[in-house]
Amino acid sequence: MAAQMWWLQAPIAAIGQGFVPTSQIVTRPEMLYLAVGIVGATVMPHNLYLHSSIVKTRQRDGGEAGVWRAIRYATLDSNLALGMALFVNMAILVLAAGAFHRPGQPPVSELQDAYRLLSPLLGTTAAGAVFGIGLIASGLSSSITGTLAGQIVMEGFLDIRVSRGRRALLTRGLAIFTRGRGHDRVRA
């Protein structure tokens, strides 16, 4: 995303200004919808639950000082992860707005169109490939996070223990099942 933002040469001042809330967010529903979408895509409850579970596995010194050190590191770790997620989500919106919503540009309604149009719009042949690699990385990250969060929820909330193989079959089976229901129409 950083490379694509560089190729786009988006105005940094305008991006920064977009982070400052205005009264329009209340009067224009599409602005509020977009803001809530960014917050929802950045702060995902299952990720926070998974993260807190991972933090609990860290070794820490006994006593109050060790607890406060663990809290400080967990807070730093969570803020870094959420900051990275915010950057990626912001970059996706800026890239889409800057590349696909130019005057005279036909609307982009499918992922395949976005992939093909990025290279000519950004002026570099690598843009489409970088976009594809980013989609693969995003999909892998999402799959891993979903599987791990499912494991933590099953073991922590439901007290269900399942072998890794069965859990993998279950999560992949659910992915295939939902794909057939029209929830996953993206073809890379």
Side-chain angles (χ1 to χ4, degrees), residues 38-167:
I38 287 291
V39 171
T42 302
V43 184
M44 295 176 277
H46 68 281
N47 278 341
L48 294 176
Y49 185 72
L50 170 63
H51 192 80
S52 66
S53 176
I54 291 171
V55 167
K56 286 175 24 179
T57 65
R58 290 186 180 155
Q59 296 291 326
R60 63 177 168 88
D61 301 331
E64 191 173 331
V67 170
W68 284 109
R69 189 176 307 110
I71 290 171
R72 186 173 58 245
Y73 286 133
T75 302
L76 176 65
D77 198 44
S78 293
N79 286 333
L80 285 173
L82 289 172
M84 292 287 291
L86 177 66
F87 169 76
V88 170
N89 290 321
M90 178 269 312
I92 289 168
L93 284 178
V94 170
L95 180 67
F100 302 131
H101 294 284
R102 295 179 178 176
Q105 177 69 35
V108 176
S109 59
E110 301 222 4
L111 196 55
Q112 297 90 331
D113 297 337
Y115 171 78
R116 281 190 223 100
L117 291 173
L118 269 176
S119 289
L121 288 174
L122 296 181
T124 177
T125 56
V130 169
F131 181 71
I133 291 167
L135 284 177
I136 290 169
S138 174
L140 289 172
S141 174
S142 178
S143 296
I144 290 168
T145 300
T147 300
L148 290 174
Q151 173 190 348
I152 299 301
V153 168
M154 284 172 61
E155 291 176 358
F157 280 147
L158 304 175
D159 198 26
I160 299 173
R161 306 274 186 231
V162 179
S163 71
R164 288 181 183 176
R166 286 185 180 175
R167 187 172 48 248

